[in-house]
Amino acid sequence: MSHPRVVVIGAGVLGLFTAYELTAAGVENVVVLEASHPGDGSSGRSVGMVETQYLTYPDVQVRAYGREVYAALERDHDLHFVHGGYLRLGRQQADITAFEQSLEHQKACGVDDAVILAPEDIAERWPHIVVDDLVAAQFGTWDGYVDGYAVSQLLAGIVKRRGATVVARAEVLSAERIGETWRLDTAQGVFEADVVVNAAGPWAGHVGELLGAPVPLLPQLHGALTIELGAPQPFTPFVMDYVPGSGTDGVYFRSERADQLIAGLHTDEAIKDPVSPDVPLGAMGMDQIERVITLLSERLVGADDMEIGRSWSGIYPMTPDHQPIAGWHRDAPGVVCALGAGGSGIQLSPAVGRLAAHAILGRPSDFEIDWSHERFAD
């Protein structure tokens, strides 16, 4: 069986996991183009969370697949993975019901290490966390974080050893479809393909326009910062004080060192004004830093001794319904999407890459989730 020539635009985790799945299936003619170098965009600026503590079966299922893939990379390729755990806080009685359902969904996907903790259990394990307003928390013991830049570099090496080509500093300047062939003019020359994968992260909207394959992308500016503690604390898991679907954002934090936290604001929803993907990415805005500090002071004991360290910003490439797009573009022959994973790109990228690769290979989806471009038909 002959395989198509595939060019993947974007060497972040979404593009590289697409190449990873294709090369695992024996597709050798795969080229990954990156305007900078692998992991230089949003992937490298991510806090790198990998977890399965979501509330619906489809959301758990795709993350359980991501967990399998990251476990294999850790086992077989020495990926550094910090298994510090993930703690999702609940403030209402309805959250307990949602957490119980989540645990059932996880067990159905082969994940059996998550537990529900009462406030007193949380206080006993992590006495520096304020629990007065909590009813429970959902805790994934295996969960943790990776370095998104390291993941990108690792995947680039794996796909190259399997026969793929990864080309850095290869910004796509123009694209033309001649018959059944795509001709891409880049800063590193011309590349031809039968299939082009748009995995350009925050620039996926721009790339979609070049390909005549527009996508509804709403890039959102987010950031993270380090918090210097007045004294060492017990290791803090990744704490998420946000419940999906709440319509707002929430604070997250985790230990980086005994005397340092990494913190930021997270939401799965596009609640901000879209920004240009070319927006300068420097330190977080002071208004966002102040909101992080305010929320942390309500959640941590001894917050008065905290000091702000460095901060950085990145882009959540989000879609209007807050879910990725993976698979064939509805209106553009020969174009496959692997984009729009928002602030969950690290953990969702294995599933996005698998769906994109299976579309190219003509294989059915493994997941009970609709990430197709078709859902934006109206």
Side-chain angles (χ1 to χ4, degrees):
M1 175 182 176
S2 62
H3 292 120
R5 298 168 298 168
V6 180
V7 168
V8 179
I9 302 176
V13 288
L14 295 182
L16 287 166
F17 268 118
T18 302
Y20 177 86
E21 291 281 351
L22 287 169
T23 54
V27 183
E28 296 181 351
N29 201 336
V30 177
V31 176
V32 183
L33 304 177
E34 172 54 46
S36 180
H37 61 269
D40 186 51
S42 294
S43 297
R45 294 174 175 271
S46 168
V47 295
M49 195 62 225
V50 179
E51 46 89 16
T52 57
Q53 310 313 311
Y54 267 70
L55 307 180
T56 70
Y57 180 80
D59 283 328
V60 169
Q61 185 188 33
V62 290
R63 287 167 174 82
Y65 178 72
R67 168 175 165 150
E68 292 177 12
V69 172
Y70 279 110
L73 292 175
E74 182 184 22
R75 180 186 66 243
D76 300 334
H77 299 279
D78 297 321
L79 173 67
H80 181 60
F81 194 120
V82 180
H83 295 279
Y86 182 97
L87 190 71
R88 186 183 294 283
L89 306 182
R91 304 188 187 191
Q92 304 176 26
Q93 287 299 317
D95 294 334
I96 298 178
T97 300
F99 293 165
E100 291 171 344
Q101 291 173 341
S102 174
L103 264 59
E104 292 301 315
H105 297 325
Q106 292 186 60
K107 289 177 182 177
C109 295
V111 177
D112 60 3
D113 58 90
V115 295
I116 297 174
L117 300 178
E120 55 269 25
D121 300 322
I122 302 168
E124 182 178 355
R125 296 191 187 200
W126 305 286
H128 54 292
I129 297 179
V130 175
V131 300
D132 296 346
D133 61 334
L134 302 180
V135 297
Q138 183 177 350
F139 184 54
T141 59
W142 180 94
D143 300 340
Y145 62 90
V146 294
D147 183 305
Y149 183 82
V151 172
S152 300
Q153 291 288 313
L154 174 63
L155 291 173
I158 292 172
V159 300
K160 285 192 288 186
R161 290 192 295 274
R162 291 175 176 174
T165 302
V166 180
V167 186
R169 295 179 293 279
E171 179 183 359
V172 178
L173 306 174
S174 64
E176 182 182 12
R177 185 169 170 85
I178 304 172
E180 299 297 315
T181 299
W182 280 101
R183 185 180 188 276
L184 305 178
D185 186 14
T186 81
Q188 294 293 338
V190 175
F191 295 85
E192 293 188 345
D194 304 304
V195 177
V196 176
V197 179
N198 182 356
W203 291 270
H206 172 67
V207 168
E209 294 298 327
L210 287 178
L211 297 171
V215 291
L217 203 66
L218 304 170
Q220 310 272 293
L221 188 64
H222 284 260
L225 70 157
T226 59
I227 302 293
E228 310 302 327
L229 303 174
Q233 291 181 344
F235 184 90
T236 306
F238 199 111
V239 179
M240 181 61 73
D241 202 357
Y242 161 78
V243 176
S246 62
T248 185
D249 56 11
V251 70
Y252 66 81
F253 54 94
R254 65 163 171 81
S255 286
E256 181 69 2
R257 303 191 309 258
D259 60 350
Q260 185 186 74
L261 300 175
I262 285 182
L265 301 172
H266 177 76
T267 177
D268 291 340
E269 299 153 75
I271 61 175
K272 297 185 175 184
D273 292 333
V275 298
S276 165
D278 296 314
V279 64
L281 297 178
M284 287 179 71
M286 187 51 64
D287 59 334
Q288 294 295 291
I289 291 177
E290 290 176 351
R291 177 162 164 74
V292 171
I293 296 300
T294 297
L295 293 175
L296 278 180
S297 67
E298 298 170 355
R299 186 56 63 199
L300 291 174
V301 175
D304 292 342
D305 295 329
M306 296 188 309
E307 294 184 2
I308 300 170
R310 68 184 183 92
S311 69
W312 63 96
S313 57
I315 294 178
Y316 284 12
M318 305 190 78
T319 66
D321 68 358
H322 324 132
Q323 297 285 346
I325 305 175
W328 291 108
H329 191 280
R330 185 185 70 241
D331 302 318
V335 176
V336 166
C337 300
L339 55 93
S344 299
I346 297 295
Q347 61 182 287
L348 291 181
S349 53
V352 172
R354 186 168 183 82
L355 283 172
H358 276 203
I360 295 168
L361 297 168
R363 297 178 180 176
S365 169
D366 295 321
F367 310 121
E368 295 181 20
I369 202 163
D370 181 12
W371 284 348
S372 70
H373 185 249
E374 289 286 344
R375 71 186 194 270
F376 295 106
D378 295 330

